[in-house]
Amino acid sequence: MEASVHSLLSLLTFLFVFVIGLLIAVAVILFLIDINQSKSAIRRNYPVIGRFRYLFEHMGEFFRQYFFAMDREEMPFNRAQRSWVYRAAKGVATEIAFGSTRAGNTVGDHHFMNSVFAVLEQEKNTETTIAFGPYCDRPYVAKSFFNISGMSYGALSKPAVQALSRGAAKAGCWINTGEGGVSPFHLEGGGDVVAQIGTAKYGVRDEKGELSEEKLIGLAQKPQIKMFEIKLSQGAKPGKGGILPAEKVSEEIAAIRGINKGEASISPNRHPEIQSTLDLLKLINRVRQVTGIPVGIKLVVGDPAWLNELCEEILKLGIESAPDFITVDSADGGTGAAPQPLMDFVGMRLKESLPLLVDTLKKYQLKDRVKVVASGKLVNPGLVARALATGADAVVSARGFMFSLGCIQAMQCNKNTCPTGITTHDKRLQKGLNVADKAARVANYHKKIVHDVEMIAHSCGVPQATELQRHHVRLVTEDGKSKSLAELYP
Ligand SMILES: Cc1cc2nc3c(=O)[nH]c(=O)nc-3n(C[C@H](O)[C@H](O)[C@H](O)COP(=O)(O)O)c2cc1C
């Protein structure tokens, strides 16, 4: 017995000495590598220890999210915003206790002005109808003011698109295909679909990469396809085309887009055939004429003067020639992949561009003709309600619906390593995304947003969410007092 204890102790001592020896040997090798390399100054000046910097930098992202960042601190979306979506999507209570953690007193923060006479149950109107394309053969009447923004199959995984499509059908809202074209998975749920036409014309291109009228007609004949959206630019990357890294271009995606498998899918930074505002209107009208359904455009506002030019050009041609809708995307919108300088610095944010667009359309008496769809971080009811009050007819969200699918903001959409299976084509990672379960969450999230926006409207004394007006919103100004949005943007 004593002998076996003795031999066990000897073995443990040997193992201990061996492991320590191994660690010292590895440290010496790394030390020699570090002091003899010239690529990293930190590793050369602080051999071995300097290497921990990279590990901590990587791990910091996760630690901050779970342990150190305050509820309202993180970017692009803070924990309070995300948690609300998660709870709404799961269908659990979203009520909070004790008091708000929203400071609400920084310049630009908004508050809704409740009415003394809130709307009674029997006075509420929860029906929405937004009529697009009055001059089309087949106009579209949308039934929801909250819808799913463009995200391609490619940027998103197959189960993610399937869950969004089924969830949208359940919720009664539309899903926009994004510039990657209409995939079978966008259609799978059976609900309304807005088909986006990106600069590479994926899904509607001929062999030369030009717009194919035959393919446009083919799509428009599907009753589910309700509108086309010509994408001019996107908030996260104005002036840059879509980027789908090579590792995400599978055989299926290549076939849908009409490109080669395994090659990065990079679309031009604008539609080559649109050289002027007139060209743009001609293209809108061409697509509308051949398909018979409403056609709109998506852009992030850059030069505000262009909006005047657009309206003047429309009036010259006649109001029928106008786009049936304009989706105005915020400069801080999301994407699967984009260069940081464009994400951080280029384009106008929605808080400024939305009132500008609405007011310009009103100035030219085009606001009724051209519907305004707003997007950009509108993931919670208070933000959606503000956009409607500012003058948007509808709102679309991309990342809000990604959160409803379980996105944890791991910021890896461009790497094929998304841990929740939403933006990866790695089958192992996709396994965690149960389509039926997530479709229910998508619908729950939609229902809760609509409910809570309506709740804000009813508190402000209007029976319907789409009746919210600028005078219902006040913004905190520099002297700490608030001013009505109607006064700031008369
Ligand atoms: C993963 C991902 C893919 C996207 N793909 C497209 C696209 O194909 N076409 C497009 O116009 N916008 C695309 N967007 C932008 C969104 O449609 C939306 O305009 C933007 O993210 C702002 O909305 P959000 O703040 O609710 O996300 C994408 C966004 C994300 C996050």
Side-chain angles (χ1 to χ4, degrees):
M1 173 69 182
E2 202 177 303
S4 60
V5 169
H6 183 73
S7 55
L8 183 68
L9 280 175
S10 309
L11 181 69
L12 287 174
T13 312
F14 171 76
L15 278 177
F16 180 72
V17 172
F18 178 76
V19 170
I20 295 291
L22 195 69
L23 286 176
I24 292 171
V26 171
V28 169
I29 293 168
L30 290 178
F31 180 87
L32 291 173
I33 293 174
D34 285 355
I35 56 166
N36 286 308
Q37 58 82 40
S38 55
K39 279 191 180 149
S40 161
I42 291 285
R43 276 167 53 207
R44 199 177 166 102
N45 292 343
Y46 302 93
V48 186
I49 292 173
R51 288 174 176 262
F52 286 99
R53 180 180 178 278
Y54 304 105
L55 177 72
F56 291 154
E57 196 177 26
H58 179 65
M59 296 308 290
E61 248 176 55
F62 304 103
F63 281 109
R64 273 195 302 279
Q65 179 171 129
Y66 294 113
F67 299 115
F68 302 116
M70 303 293 283
D71 273 0
R72 303 271 177 178
E73 242 175 32
E74 281 168 283
M75 290 293 276
F77 296 90
N78 61 48
R79 194 186 295 129
Q81 291 175 305
R82 285 183 286 119
S83 300
W84 187 92
V85 181
Y86 298 146
R87 290 196 304 267
K90 283 181 192 153
V92 299
T94 51
E95 284 81 13
I96 52 171
F98 201 64
S100 170
T101 58
R102 176 183 185 238
N105 56 0
T106 33
V107 174
D109 278 353
H110 71 283
H111 299 268
F112 295 93
M113 296 301 110
N114 58 297
S115 164
V116 178
F117 308 106
V119 175
L120 289 173
E121 197 57 46
Q122 62 272 23
E123 296 163 351
K124 292 177 184 170
N125 180 356
T126 51
E127 254 176 52
T128 302
T129 49
I130 310 161
F132 292 88
Y135 299 98
C136 292
D137 295 343
R138 213 180 91 207
Y140 171 50
V141 179
K143 296 276 182 207
S144 169
F145 59 76
F146 190 61
N147 301 280
I148 305 181
S149 192
M151 288 181 283
S152 314
Y153 169 49
L156 295 189
S157 67
K158 174 176 156 181
V161 177
Q162 288 176 306
L164 287 173
S165 161
R166 292 192 204 174
K170 231 178 170 160
C173 68
W174 80 66
I175 177 173
N176 185 312
T177 63
E179 66 162 90
V182 180
S183 75
F185 317 116
H186 286 108
L187 298 171
E188 184 177 299
D192 296 353
V193 173
V194 175
Q196 190 174 78
I197 304 175
T199 54
K201 320 280 189 298
Y202 292 134
V204 284
R205 67 202 236 136
D206 60 18
E207 317 74 56
K208 287 188 265 160
E210 288 167 11
L211 194 62
S212 154
E213 293 194 354
E214 199 187 320
K215 289 195 177 155
L216 278 174
I217 294 168
L219 277 184
Q221 277 169 349
K222 294 181 197 295
Q224 256 181 282
I225 306 286
K226 301 294 181 192
M227 306 199 279
F228 284 103
E229 179 181 74
I230 299 173
K231 177 185 161 187
L232 300 178
S233 58
Q234 181 186 330
K237 47 184 177 186
K240 181 107 189 131
I243 311 166
L244 190 65
E247 57 270 30
K248 290 181 89 177
V249 182
S250 65
E251 202 163 346
E252 200 173 35
I253 289 166
I256 291 169
R257 294 187 176 211
I259 54 170
N260 294 328
K261 180 193 165 200
E263 273 177 29
S265 170
I266 297 173
S267 40
N269 54 350
R270 75 165 163 83
H271 290 269
E273 73 277 38
I274 304 180
Q275 318 239 23
S276 65
T277 307
L278 185 60
D279 285 347
L280 172 63
L281 291 175
K282 279 185 183 161
L283 183 68
I284 292 168
N285 284 286
R286 180 177 156 213
V287 176
R288 192 164 38 213
Q289 264 153 26
V290 297
T291 63
I293 63 174
V295 180
I297 55 174
K298 171 171 179 172
L299 78 158
V300 51
V301 174
D303 177 6
W306 181 77
L307 295 176
N308 290 315
E309 188 186 318
L310 174 70
C311 292
E312 279 158 22
E313 205 66 59
I314 291 169
L315 292 183
K316 266 192 236 160
L317 295 183
I319 58 162
E320 319 82 72
S321 70
D324 294 304
F325 64 94
I326 298 180
T327 302
V328 55
D329 199 21
S330 186
D332 52 2
T335 178
Q340 191 170 353
L342 293 182
M343 261 200 201
D344 286 351
F345 292 106
V346 183
M348 195 183 279
R349 295 202 169 193
L350 192 72
K351 282 182 182 168
E352 200 178 352
S353 59
L354 178 60
L356 184 76
L357 173 64
V358 169
D359 291 347
T360 308
L361 289 170
K362 278 187 182 158
K363 187 169 92 184
Y364 290 91
Q365 277 145 33
L366 287 168
K367 177 66 180 66
D368 282 343
R369 167 72 184 93
V370 182
K371 298 289 176 253
V372 173
V373 180
S375 65
K377 298 181 95 169
L378 307 177
V379 303
N380 298 122
L383 303 169
V384 175
R386 174 174 171 169
L388 294 178
T390 307
D393 296 286
V395 162
V396 286
S397 175
R399 288 169 293 177
F401 281 100
M402 285 172 77
F403 290 137
S404 77
L405 291 174
C407 166
I408 57 166
Q409 195 166 271
M411 315 281 275
Q412 293 178 27
C413 314
N414 58 339
K415 292 193 188 134
N416 212 21
T417 52
C418 170
T420 56
I422 298 170
T423 61
T424 176
H425 302 299
D426 182 332
K427 291 268 181 290
R428 186 183 66 80
L429 292 168
Q430 287 179 2
K431 266 196 198 142
L433 205 163
N434 180 291
V435 175
D437 175 55
K438 300 299 183 200
R441 290 190 187 198
V442 167
N444 285 344
Y445 169 54
H446 175 273
K447 189 172 164 195
K448 186 71 182 156
I449 280 262
V450 170
H451 173 271
D452 281 14
V453 173
E454 284 168 349
M455 183 172 70
I456 292 172
H458 299 153
S459 169
C460 291
V462 291
Q464 204 169 22
T466 46
E467 284 175 35
L468 278 167
Q469 302 292 325
R470 290 186 188 178
H471 65 83
H472 292 122
V473 183
R474 288 181 79 86
L475 301 189
V476 176
T477 61
E478 267 159 18
D479 61 7
K481 291 182 190 158
S482 69
K483 258 194 183 155
S484 164
L485 197 58
E487 203 183 323
L488 288 165
Y489 294 95

